Every structure is written in C-alpha cells, then in structure tokens.
Amino acid sequence: MTTPLYDDIADWYEEYASETSSVYMDRIRSVLAGLLGEGPGRCLDLCCGTGAHAAELRRLGWTPEPGPPEGGPGSGWGW
C-alpha cells in the first residue's frame, strides 16, 4: 500500500497554512484582495486542498468553486 504524498507534509501544512498561522494568512488575504478585488461571481479555487482560503474568497464577495474538478480540468463546469 502506498502513502499519499500529502501525508508526508500534512503536519507542516497544518502549522504553516492554517488560520493559526497569522503572518501567512494575512499575506494571503492581502494578495487575494489585491488580485481579485470585490465580487460577486464565481471564483475557481485551483489546488484548494483543505479550503483554507475559501473563507477569504467569500468575505470578498466571491463564491469559491473547488478545483481541479473531478474528471479533469474544466469538466462539468460550464465555464
């Protein structure tokens, strides 16, 4: 049985990219606001992993859509 690659970095990611890592999350919030501005609309959250940034996307007025979608890039999205 193989171990998913994510298992090797899960503890690091939890510490680095979680709500408890305020410096990192503050930087992400600033970058998202600068790049996206205010919604409304759908926002494709590529490589969303745990969804750590979805709350900020919603705060900005966007509707985050997780990606990549199952079945390959863009399948079933109607974009």
Side-chain angles (χ1 to χ4, degrees):
M1 183 172 173
T2 60
T3 301
L5 292 176
Y6 179 78
D7 285 358
D8 292 339
I9 64 166
D11 292 336
W12 168 83
Y13 184 83
E14 183 64 28
E15 180 180 331
Y16 184 76
S18 69
E19 283 293 331
T20 60
S21 177
S22 64
V23 172
Y24 172 77
M25 292 304 285
D26 288 347
R27 190 172 52 195
I28 291 298
R29 288 182 189 106
S30 175
V31 168
L32 287 174
L35 289 173
L36 297 174
E38 303 243 339
R42 292 176 10 182
C43 179
L44 182 58
D45 189 0
L46 289 173
C47 303
C48 58
T50 62
H53 310 303
E56 181 63 13
L57 294 172
R58 283 190 295 275
R59 190 192 71 74
L60 290 168
W62 296 97
T63 301
E65 301 282 353
E70 191 137 341
S75 66
W77 286 72
W79 290 59

